[in-house]
Every structure is written in structure tokens, then in C-alpha cells.
Amino acid sequence: MHIWPVPNSYSKTLPSAGAAGSFWEERKGRHHCGIDIYAPLNSDVLAIENGRVVETGVFTSPLTLPYWNETYYIVLQNESGLFCKYAEIDGLSVNEGQRVKAGKIIGKVARVLNLEKIDNTSPEYIKSLQRKKISSMLHFELYRVWPVQFQKYLGGNSFIGQKPKNLLDPAEYLKKLF
Ligand SMILES: [Zn+2]
């Protein structure tokens, strides 16, 4: 069984290549390592497949960037062998090592962006989200192996132009879910 991870998302259509929130979107000096699924604050985030929690942690923090709120991530190893990173979430309801079934609620969509703290010095893609009043989403990454070494990675973006070879485009994987 495979489940769309945010039943309450505004859309189940994935962003086209290059569009806001798409995989490897060029964000002036950084590339987006996942796909953003926009959804209302506190929407349930579900495990897509049966799997096991291999890592959890802090994903964004206002201590790092003023326009971020504190959010968390979960990495699940699926039965199929791939690793899903669910990020920009809150209310984690799983622990490392725990087995989860497809469809289990693993967390809630957090408000990752503090729109009031975004100003002219913020990156363009962040200002664009502010104009659209979008502040909550699931940031989703897909990996062939875990962990993957990044030279510089922050908040779901890689600051190195070359894509790590074990980082996958999640679009095909997500498209099969609806
Ligand atoms: Zn993202």
C-alpha cells in the first residue's frame, strides 16, 4: 500500500520542472533538494509506505535564520529500500527505530516560515512565498542510501551545484501515489 503523504494538501499536482517548490529548483546559489507540498498548518503527514524510522531531528530553526520557525524532520526507510525524508513538520509522533505502517500519522505540517521576519535581504524564493502568503508545507526528499553526505546543505537546499548521486528526484515516486 502506498499513501499520498498529505491528504489535506492544496494540490496533488506536482510543480513542473523549474517551478517554485520543484526538485532541484535553482534558487540563486542553491538548489532545492526535494519537492514542496503546500498544505494548511497542522495537516496530517502520513507515512507513504511501511517502513522504519532511521533518523529524526531539527530541520529549521530561528537560531539559524530569522525567518525560520523551529521545524523537524523524519527519515523513514521504506520496505522497498528507498529513504524518504519528511521535513518542515511539527508534532513528531514517532521515535527512531520505530516501525511504522503505511498511512500512520508521523507528524503535522508546521509553519516553517515566519512571514513577518522576511525582508528585502531574504532570498528571492522566500520573498515570493511571502507574497503568496505561503508559510506551511511538507518538504519531501528521496534517497537511495542514507545518510548522504552534502558539502553544504541547509533547510532543504544544497549550496553545491552538483547533485549528490544518491539524492533522487521524488516526482516519479510521488506521482504513483494518486
Ligand atoms: Zn522545500
Side-chain angles (χ1 to χ4, degrees), residues 44-59:
D44 290 337
V45 177
L46 312 184
I48 294 169
E49 295 185 55
N50 293 342
R52 190 173 62 90
V53 181
V54 295
E55 193 174 316
T56 63
V58 173
F59 190 70

Side-chain angles (χ1 to χ4, degrees), residues 19-35:
S22 62
F23 178 70
W24 214 243
E25 174 195 358
E26 210 283 307
R27 292 173 161 177
K28 294 214 173 78
R30 70 199 83 185
H31 287 87
H32 191 218
C33 295
I35 285 182

Side-chain angles (χ1 to χ4, degrees), residues 48-121:
I48 294 169
E49 295 185 55
N50 293 342
R52 190 173 62 90
V53 181
V54 295
E55 193 174 316
T56 63
V58 173
F59 190 70
T60 58
S61 165
L63 301 175
T64 310
L65 282 173
Y67 55 76
W68 273 343
N69 291 318
E70 184 150 300
T71 73
Y72 303 87
Y73 71 89
I74 299 170
V75 179
L76 287 184
Q77 180 175 22
N78 297 325
E79 280 179 350
S80 65
L82 296 176
F83 294 81
C84 293
K85 183 173 183 176
Y86 302 76
E88 302 182 1
I89 60 182
D90 204 349
L92 296 193
S93 53
V94 292
N95 299 309
E96 282 179 31
Q98 184 180 338
R99 293 198 173 275
V100 298
K101 290 230 181 290
K104 179 185 167 51
I105 297 172
I106 56 174
K108 306 274 185 187
V109 171
R111 191 186 298 289
V112 61
L113 295 176
N114 183 341
L115 297 180
E116 291 177 0
K117 295 278 175 72
I118 296 169
D119 62 22
N120 269 335
T121 66

